[in-house]
Amino acid sequence: NVVALTNLGNGLIGTGAPGEAISVLERAVVLDQRSALAHFGLANAHDELANENPEDGHLEIAESHYLQALEINPDYFAAQLNLGIVLKMMTRFDSAEACFRRALELRPGEVECMINLAEILVDQDKYEEAMDMYRSMSSSPERLNIIRRLAHLWQEKGEFEKAREVVEELRLKDPQSGIVFTVLSSDRSHHFTEEEVVHAEQLSDDPSVDYAERLSIKFALARYLDTIGDYD
């Protein structure tokens, strides 16, 4: 029963046993080589194992099965997206970009896909197109995380002025956001006023602020105070 085997394999992946899932899903593929779902599940299992053992060839096997799933069903959005992510991990940026663009044709406005495409554009130094992509997501519920990610990407590229530009946009939209502090604290050339540091401290202790954001602010405060020599 190919459907049962495929579901069992997916369940094993979901419970953190991708190695066990592979033998089950391989059996499903042997029984029905035209099952896009079985190929997709097998690709996912190898993709999961690649996170633990990136040098063991799992990414290449995952790529092969995502491609087979797409050959069977060219409109398989999840396979297209996941293939792009695998190619991105393999630093094959041109091919990954094409995958994400195709995925967006299948499902316009999909935030995860847009984020991955924007990151690929940054990796290829297509800064302005990446900036436009992130700005187009400004109404997303993930807006703040998207802005943070964009700013950090600019910083990783050494584009601190571009990072500040993003943060200034955020400051105008949400002046109380702790993300302004967490992003700029990564820039060792940036100096905060005493009022800004106090505000960050207040946000880090404010129970109405999201817990994860408070942790990020505390970490950023520690990093900044270390930078200026306030070790205590």
Side-chain angles (χ1 to χ4, degrees), residues 148 177-179 181-182 199-222:
R148 179 195 284 116
S177 173
I179 293 176
F181 189 89
T182 58
H199 175 61
E201 290 174 338
Q202 290 171 342
L203 286 175
S204 73
D205 292 326
D206 186 345
S208 68
V209 175
D210 178 74
Y211 180 69
E213 184 172 347
R214 279 159 47 205
L215 289 182
S216 294
I217 296 169
K218 286 183 182 294
F219 184 83
L221 275 166

Side-chain angles (χ1 to χ4, degrees), residues 46-47 49-50 53-64 90:
H46 282 284
D47 193 2
L49 283 176
N53 304 292
E55 306 300 325
D56 285 357
H58 291 293
L59 287 176
E60 288 78 6
I61 298 173
E63 177 192 4
S64 172
M90 298 165 72

Side-chain angles (χ1 to χ4, degrees), residues 25-94:
L25 290 161
E26 283 178 342
R27 186 176 171 198
V29 166
V30 168
L31 289 168
D32 184 0
Q33 295 186 17
R34 297 296 297 171
S35 171
L37 286 173
H39 281 291
F40 178 70
L42 187 52
N44 286 341
H46 282 284
D47 193 2
E48 286 289 324
L49 283 176
N51 293 325
E52 303 170 13
N53 304 292
E55 306 300 325
D56 285 357
H58 291 293
L59 287 176
E60 288 78 6
I61 298 173
E63 177 192 4
S64 172
H65 286 286
Y66 284 135
L67 285 170
Q68 289 180 75
L70 286 165
E71 182 181 337
I72 297 162
N73 179 4
D75 295 336
Y76 200 155
F77 170 80
Q80 194 75 62
L81 173 60
N82 286 9
L83 175 60
I85 293 171
V86 162
L87 293 169
K88 178 182 171 187
M89 292 171 66
M90 298 165 72
T91 67
R92 288 164 55 188
F93 297 137
D94 286 345

Side-chain angles (χ1 to χ4, degrees), residues 1-217:
N1 188 318
V2 173
V3 174
L5 287 168
T6 302
N7 289 345
L8 175 59
N10 289 333
L12 288 166
I13 295 170
T15 56
E20 294 178 46
I22 285 175
S23 60
V24 173
L25 290 161
E26 283 178 342
R27 186 176 171 198
V29 166
V30 168
L31 289 168
D32 184 0
Q33 295 186 17
R34 297 296 297 171
S35 171
L37 286 173
H39 281 291
F40 178 70
L42 187 52
N44 286 341
H46 282 284
D47 193 2
E48 286 289 324
L49 283 176
N51 293 325
E52 303 170 13
N53 304 292
E55 306 300 325
D56 285 357
H58 291 293
L59 287 176
E60 288 78 6
I61 298 173
E63 177 192 4
S64 172
H65 286 286
Y66 284 135
L67 285 170
Q68 289 180 75
L70 286 165
E71 182 181 337
I72 297 162
N73 179 4
D75 295 336
Y76 200 155
F77 170 80
Q80 194 75 62
L81 173 60
N82 286 9
L83 175 60
I85 293 171
V86 162
L87 293 169
K88 178 182 171 187
M89 292 171 66
M90 298 165 72
T91 67
R92 288 164 55 188
F93 297 137
D94 286 345
S95 298
E97 179 183 342
C99 284
F100 294 135
R101 291 192 185 281
R102 170 59 181 151
L104 282 172
E105 290 176 6
L106 295 170
R107 198 174 294 180
E110 179 68 34
V111 171
E112 182 182 2
C113 193
M114 294 175 75
I115 288 173
N116 276 287
L117 176 56
E119 290 179 348
I120 283 289
L121 292 171
V122 171
D123 286 328
Q124 297 177 93
D125 297 333
K126 299 177 182 178
Y127 296 139
E128 295 308 319
E129 191 176 355
M131 183 79 85
D132 290 341
M133 179 70 67
Y134 275 108
R135 284 173 177 155
S136 72
M137 292 183 274
S138 61
S139 61
S140 163
E142 294 291 313
R143 178 175 63 88
L144 296 182
N145 288 332
I146 289 166
I147 291 173
R148 179 195 284 116
R149 189 179 302 208
L150 176 58
H152 283 310
L153 283 170
W154 289 156
Q155 289 176 335
E156 288 172 9
K157 289 286 186 180
E159 297 280 351
F160 294 109
E161 286 302 320
K162 290 184 182 292
R164 291 191 192 100
E165 179 184 340
V166 174
V167 171
E168 286 307 319
E169 284 191 21
L170 173 58
R171 197 195 297 269
L172 291 173
K173 293 177 181 176
D174 190 358
Q176 300 303 309
S177 173
I179 293 176
V180 172
F181 189 89
T182 58
V183 170
L184 290 180
S185 67
S186 299
D187 181 355
R188 291 182 175 273
S189 66
H190 186 83
H191 294 282
F192 292 97
T193 65
E194 184 177 346
E195 291 78 11
E196 287 174 318
V197 174
V198 169
H199 175 61
E201 290 174 338
Q202 290 171 342
L203 286 175
S204 73
D205 292 326
D206 186 345
S208 68
V209 175
D210 178 74
Y211 180 69
E213 184 172 347
R214 279 159 47 205
L215 289 182
S216 294
I217 296 169

